[in-house]
Amino acid sequence: MSRQKNQNSKGHGVSKGKEREQRTLIRFKTTLMNTLMDVLRHRPGWVEVKDEGEWDFYWCDVSWLRENFDHTYMDEHVRISHFRNHYELTRKNYMVKNLKRFRKYLERESGKTEAAKCDFFPKTFEMPCEYHLFVEEFRKNPGITWIMKPVARSQGKGIFLFRRLKDIMDWRKGTSGKKPTGVETQPARANVNPSGSHDTRSSDDQKDDLPVENYVAQRYVENPYLIGGRKFDLRVYVLVMSYIPLRAWLYRDGFARFSNTRFTLNSIDDHYVHLTNVAVQKTSPDYHLKKGCKWMLQRFRQYLASKHGPKAVETLFSDMDNIFIKSLQSVQKVIISDKHCFELYGYDILIDQDLKPWLLEVNASPSLTASSQEDYELKTCLLEDTLHVVDMEARLTGKEKRVGGFDLMWNDGPVSREDGPSDLSGMGNFVTNTHLGCVNDRKEQLRQLFRSLQAQKKAPS
């Protein structure tokens, strides 16, 4: 996508060097005062730019993108942290619309078996525009539980469960009369990173504000997998460097977020039972600030292996890989792919009692505020490795399959764990290059990677 500089445009990254020349000085900008700022300020050779100064790297929020992207000229090497229309994947209604369309495309082009690989999101209707379709479906299955979610809000705000059409009719009139629960009634605690820096923005995923409040009505997964009687979902990180061609990296670490209260379908109004968002759970009277409600993904994977065996766990995690790839492919043709853009997505996945993973939503601005020391360390490493892959310093060759905790899972096609060219014709012995919830020896891997790159640079050509 090319943009001409005009009178209102701001140019960034204008430099004397060529695009892939190694850079020793990177000028960065961000408005997020959390773990991200700590990582950027500690990165060697990176200097912070304030206000209207020229920058090479901008971890922007989505509101800046909406207002400025089309009027900003960027030099070749400049990078920003969102794609122009990222909301095609990260707004709940658009995500479902794109997945439904992609499923139809797959059925037409490749048959029902391939299309069935998209059956990882619950039955969903956009409200109010699909209200009549929803009512038809609702009456086919009386008594089941549905969940209403605003399409562009986060932190559990505006969500409620229901089993009666009357609740929706009240909602349509704007007179639901529901008592505010948990998240609305209690002030959120201030978020402080272990480093001491405060997050002045919202504590969880930023969303675009919509002038008109649209919702999705979604069939509630009534049989979630429980650990200790409590519901949880998984937060997984996927880094997309390009949509055309699709180039996506999967991070090895992530976490399971638990509700603080034992699961039951008898109290559908209790957010502490049904919503796992940290913003909701931390307002619970018995929430432990230091302990939090999180398990790291390694612990979760080991727990499942001990209960169900390694093979069942491999199948589950392979099914999750399918979710990441199919969801990205569903928006590949509609996202404006721009070489200046990258995106770190936060995927929210729910597992049911049959070990089937369900995609709940994808976040364009996953929370970078730490809820515990362990959480801070995870997010610090995640962001350091994101910057390694973005590679402002131009140190990588572009052929790497692993950089720190990130594994390249898709590079215009599936990536094999094995070295050398992959024979995809039979896919017989093909093993994808994903290691979610596996050992993350990132420090040693980075040491070896950069030592090898230095040696290659010094070697006579």
Side-chain angles (χ1 to χ4, degrees):
M1 177 173 148
S2 62
R3 291 178 300 284
Q4 296 301 315
K5 194 171 178 180
N6 60 35
Q7 291 177 338
N8 298 318
S9 295
K10 176 75 177 171
H12 288 285
V14 179
S15 62
K16 295 170 187 172
K18 292 176 186 171
E19 182 185 3
R20 293 307 296 170
E21 273 188 3
Q22 290 213 343
R23 296 179 182 279
T24 52
L25 178 71
I26 309 293
R27 300 162 297 178
F28 77 85
K29 184 176 178 179
T30 187
T31 53
L32 304 175
M33 298 299 291
N34 51 29
T35 316
L36 174 67
M37 183 61 88
D38 296 343
V39 169
L40 292 169
R41 283 177 174 166
H42 286 101
R43 196 164 178 86
W46 287 51
V47 292
E48 187 178 356
V49 170
K50 299 273 176 83
D51 302 322
E52 295 302 306
E54 292 253 323
W55 44 266
D56 304 300
F57 178 94
Y58 189 8
W59 197 293
C60 62
D61 57 41
V62 291
S63 59
W64 180 92
L65 191 82
R66 193 168 52 235
E67 292 159 18
N68 298 284
F69 187 88
D70 293 331
H71 312 295
T72 303
Y73 171 84
M74 291 179 240
D75 203 27
E76 286 286 307
H77 70 282
V78 168
R79 296 291 180 269
I80 61 171
S81 60
H82 295 289
F83 287 92
R84 174 68 184 85
N85 56 339
H86 61 86
Y87 47 78
E88 292 285 352
L89 182 62
T90 59
R91 274 195 201 146
K92 300 175 188 78
N93 55 335
Y94 291 176
M95 179 189 85
V96 169
K97 176 195 73 175
N98 285 313
L99 281 168
K100 284 178 178 176
R101 187 180 60 215
F102 186 59
R103 193 193 188 288
K104 282 180 186 170
Y105 165 80
L106 285 178
E107 185 166 347
R108 194 170 62 245
E109 297 295 316
S110 310
K112 289 188 175 179
T113 305
E114 193 63 26
K117 291 179 184 175
C118 286
D119 293 342
F120 50 70
F121 58 99
K123 194 167 282 266
T124 306
F125 298 89
E126 185 174 353
M127 308 287 264
C129 65
E130 293 184 326
Y131 176 75
H132 295 294
L133 288 172
F134 163 73
V135 170
E136 203 176 295
E137 181 66 28
F138 183 93
R139 287 181 171 146
K140 283 184 199 167
N141 299 282
I144 67 166
T145 310
W146 292 79
I147 185 166
M148 284 281 277
K149 304 175 184 178
V151 300
R153 284 207 262 171
S154 60
Q155 300 181 323
K157 292 189 182 106
I159 293 178
F160 63 93
L161 278 64
F162 66 97
R163 294 196 185 111
R164 301 176 308 166
L165 267 183
K166 179 182 180 300
D167 296 332
I168 294 295
M169 289 166 181
D170 288 346
W171 167 82
R172 277 188 96 197
K173 295 170 195 165
T175 58
S176 66
K178 287 193 165 288
K179 293 175 185 173
T181 54
V183 70
E184 285 96 0
T185 56
Q186 299 180 43
R189 295 193 181 104
N191 290 292
V192 183
N193 280 319
S195 67
S197 61
H198 288 259
D199 188 359
T200 55
R201 298 187 59 82
S202 66
S203 64
D204 209 334
D205 316 277
Q206 304 163 33
K207 293 286 180 187
D208 284 346
D209 294 322
L210 289 178
V212 177
E213 185 85 322
N214 282 15
Y215 272 66
V216 290
Q218 197 167 65
R219 190 163 174 169
Y220 187 64
V221 179
E222 295 184 317
N223 64 331
Y225 192 98
L226 305 178
I227 296 179
R230 294 183 302 159
K231 180 182 172 180
F232 64 90
D233 69 0
L234 306 180
R235 167 56 60 88
V236 182
Y237 297 101
V238 173
L239 175 63
V240 175
M241 294 302 298
S242 161
Y243 271 99
I244 300 175
L246 182 59
R247 187 173 172 83
W249 300 74
L250 178 64
Y251 203 62
R252 294 185 173 207
D253 292 333
F255 48 84
R257 303 179 296 190
F258 287 85
S259 61
N260 217 37
T261 308
R262 292 179 72 85
F263 182 79
T264 173
L265 284 170
N266 296 331
S267 53
I268 63 172
D269 290 330
D270 190 339
H271 280 195
Y272 298 135
V273 171
H274 300 285
L275 304 185
T276 60
N277 312 62
V278 174
V280 173
Q281 293 300 325
K282 71 182 180 184
T283 64
S284 167
D286 51 353
Y287 178 78
H288 296 282
L289 192 59
K290 287 187 179 175
K291 192 176 77 171
C293 294
K294 291 180 179 178
W295 271 16
M296 292 298 114
L297 272 184
Q298 275 191 47
R299 182 182 177 188
F300 171 71
R301 186 166 185 151
Q302 288 163 1
Y303 174 86
L304 283 187
S306 70
K307 288 274 184 185
H308 304 281
K311 193 170 182 185
V313 173
E314 279 292 333
T315 301
L316 167 63
F317 277 72
S318 173
D319 289 345
M320 284 164 59
D321 293 344
N322 173 67
I323 289 178
F324 308 137
I325 296 303
K326 289 286 189 289
S327 60
L328 294 174
Q329 287 177 327
S330 77
V331 296
Q332 191 179 4
K333 290 180 179 174
V334 291
I335 294 269
I336 300 163
S337 192
D338 187 307
K339 65 186 174 188
H340 298 104
C341 304
F342 68 94
E343 193 117 34
L344 179 65
Y345 293 108
Y347 274 74
D348 292 344
I349 306 283
L350 180 76
I351 313 295
D352 71 17
Q353 289 171 7
D354 300 320
L355 294 186
K356 173 181 171 66
W358 296 90
L359 175 60
L360 299 180
E361 67 175 306
V362 184
N363 295 284
S365 303
S367 172
L368 300 176
T369 300
S371 57
S372 67
Q373 182 61 38
E374 188 177 39
D375 196 36
Y376 181 75
E377 287 164 10
L378 181 153
K379 286 170 179 172
T380 299
C381 296
L382 167 72
L383 289 167
E384 285 176 356
D385 291 346
T386 298
L387 298 181
H388 289 321
V389 174
V390 173
D391 192 30
M392 292 299 297
E393 297 90 347
R395 293 179 293 183
L396 304 180
T397 64
K399 296 178 181 174
E400 291 80 7
K401 284 187 182 180
R402 182 182 175 192
V403 176
F406 275 110
D407 297 290
L408 183 63
M409 67 171 167
W410 196 269
N411 188 18
D412 205 19
V415 179
S416 167
R417 282 188 199 181
E418 303 303 318
D419 291 328
S422 306
D423 174 22
L424 300 183
S425 53
M427 295 288 282
N429 300 316
F430 187 85
V431 182
T432 51
N433 186 43
T434 54
H435 304 266
L436 185 60
C438 297
V439 174
N440 187 5
D441 53 340
R442 58 178 291 278
K443 282 188 179 175
E444 180 57 32
Q445 195 275 339
L446 288 169
R447 194 178 297 119
Q448 290 181 14
L449 173 65
F450 288 122
R451 192 185 297 143
S452 160
L453 290 168
Q454 280 291 108
Q456 287 176 41
K457 200 170 73 169
K458 287 176 184 172
S461 52

